[in-house]
């Protein structure tokens, strides 16, 4: 599943390409979106804004209509110039928005819906999102409060709960826990609030650097069996949680 930084960069790219432009063509193979387009055509509307909310992308059109998409595991947005050949097969296309010089194509997007302003405010997944690490208004105290409310949860699982803290995915879960020196399988109840605050600060820094295209070699993620960059101990790997998500950690550097 794309992480918050990937979604943020995708939303920024879509905004730069489409915002302020009039939609000249809208196409979809998703029946629910097609019905709305038949009733209130998207073509002719102006793309006002594209933004990210956790792992959701929101496209705001004139007339108070909003498109919410979620990539899940396989979805993606591509931007092409008009007439440019797509890099994915047409069978993977789910929706197309042409505006100005660019065409935005959503491939294999499993979640997409049009919402008016009232429905957007009441949309359950958005309404229940935890503090988003990539927004300027990120509330660290509220994030800590929500983490502390799950005392019996393993911290590695909890960081992926978007209703607790939004934006962190599997990569930066492992990376943040390593840099904070915290065992990913430790229960929240056994971790001091000072360590949790430091963990939150590290996650925020990593995600924001990545969103700004500041990349680095991973400390532990994807390095199972390789020597720790700090101590040389082989990096451990194990599936974690009900969703069996991959967790990487250093058994020596993350003892507690």
């Amino acid at each position: 599943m794309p992480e918050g930084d990937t979604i943020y960069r995708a939303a920024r790219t879509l905004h730069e390409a489409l915002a302020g432009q009039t939609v000249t063509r809208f196409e979809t193979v998703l029946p629910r979106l097609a019905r709305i387009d038949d009733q209130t055509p998207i073509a002719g509307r102006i793309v006002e804004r594209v933004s990210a909310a956790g792992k959701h992308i929101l496209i705001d059109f004139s007339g108070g209509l909003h498109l919410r998409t979620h990539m899940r595991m396989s979805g993606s947005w591509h931007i092409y110039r008009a007439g440019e050949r797509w890099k994915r097969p047409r069978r993977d296309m789910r929706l197309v928005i042409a505006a100005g010089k660019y065409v935005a194509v959503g491939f294999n997007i499993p979640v997409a819906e049009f919402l008016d302003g009232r429905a957007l405010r009441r949309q359950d997944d958005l309404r229940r999102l935890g503090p988003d690490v990539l927004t300027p208004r990120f509330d660290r105290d509220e994030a800590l409060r929500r983490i502390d409310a799950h005392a019996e949860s393993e911290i590695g699982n909890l960081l992926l709960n978007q209703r607790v803290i939004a934006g962190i995915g599997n990569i930066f879960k492992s990376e943040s826990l390593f840099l904070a020196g915290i065992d990913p399988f430790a229960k929240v109840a056994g971790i001091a609030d000072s360590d949790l605050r430091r963990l939150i600060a590290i996650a925020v820094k990593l995600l924001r650097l990545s969103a700004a295209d500041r990349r680095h070699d991973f400390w532990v993620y994807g390095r199972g069996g390789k020597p720790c960059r700090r101590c040389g101990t082989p990096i451990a790997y194990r599936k974690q949680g009900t969703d069996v998500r991959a967790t990487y950690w250093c058994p020596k550097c993350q003892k507690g």
Side-chain angles (χ1 to χ4, degrees):
M1 182 182 294
E3 306 223 6
D5 59 317
T6 303
I7 299 300
Y8 180 88
R9 288 196 302 271
R12 181 179 61 200
T13 301
L14 287 166
H15 181 83
E16 291 171 352
L18 304 179
Q21 303 296 323
T22 300
V23 177
T24 55
R25 178 167 65 97
F26 177 80
E27 181 182 352
T28 183
V29 298
L30 301 173
R32 186 175 182 183
L33 298 188
R35 284 196 298 272
I36 299 296
D37 186 48
D38 287 341
Q39 298 164 11
T40 58
I42 310 306
R45 295 175 186 261
I46 296 171
V47 179
E48 295 182 338
R49 181 171 180 256
V50 184
S51 60
K55 296 187 179 182
H56 307 259
I57 289 180
L58 304 175
I59 302 178
D60 302 334
F61 299 95
S62 58
L65 191 65
H66 310 270
L67 174 64
R68 178 182 75 93
T69 62
H70 196 295
M71 303 301 101
R72 296 290 189 230
M73 297 299 293
S74 59
S76 62
W77 279 101
H78 289 200
I79 293 289
Y80 300 98
R81 291 188 177 275
E84 184 179 359
R85 184 176 179 178
W86 296 355
K87 295 180 180 179
R88 299 284 298 274
R90 185 171 181 83
R91 65 175 178 271
D92 291 343
M93 182 275 285
R94 298 297 179 268
L95 60 157
V96 175
I97 302 169
K101 298 183 295 184
Y102 296 100
V103 179
V105 186
F107 292 106
N108 291 326
I109 293 176
V111 178
E113 63 176 345
F114 283 121
L115 302 165
D116 60 20
R118 183 169 180 268
L120 181 68
R121 290 189 294 274
R122 299 179 64 179
Q123 206 285 326
D124 195 52
D125 289 333
L126 295 172
R127 184 174 55 83
R128 299 178 69 178
L129 274 178
D132 189 336
V133 298
L134 287 169
T135 62
R137 60 184 181 277
F138 175 67
D139 189 335
R140 298 180 187 221
D141 290 336
E142 176 61 14
L144 178 63
R145 186 192 70 77
R146 293 190 184 210
I147 290 172
D148 278 339
H150 294 78
E152 294 306 309
S153 295
E154 294 178 352
I155 187 62
N157 284 331
L158 198 59
L159 289 182
L160 299 179
N161 186 333
Q162 300 299 296
R163 294 181 176 181
V164 174
I165 183 168
I168 300 174
N170 217 36
I171 294 173
F172 289 108
K173 169 200 77 176
S174 291
E175 293 289 283
S176 299
L177 287 165
F178 171 78
L179 290 172
I182 295 175
D183 181 348
F185 302 95
K187 298 289 184 68
V188 169
I191 306 171
D193 274 358
S194 58
D195 289 331
L196 290 173
R197 286 188 182 277
R198 186 161 52 88
L199 172 63
I200 292 168
I202 289 169
V204 169
K205 184 174 183 178
L206 289 179
L207 267 293
R208 291 183 179 180
L209 285 172
S210 184
D213 290 318
R214 300 268 303 275
R215 304 302 180 89
H216 67 278
D217 291 335
F218 294 137
W219 290 93
V220 292
Y221 185 81
R223 300 189 65 248
K226 296 180 180 179
C228 174
R229 299 186 191 278
R230 280 183 172 168
C231 71
T233 301
I235 297 300
Y237 164 83
R238 188 171 122 198
K239 297 286 190 178
Q240 184 176 16
T242 55
D243 292 331
V244 290
R245 303 295 299 277
T247 295
Y248 297 85
W249 78 103
C250 173
K252 183 175 180 181
C253 294
Q254 295 171 256
K255 284 184 177 179

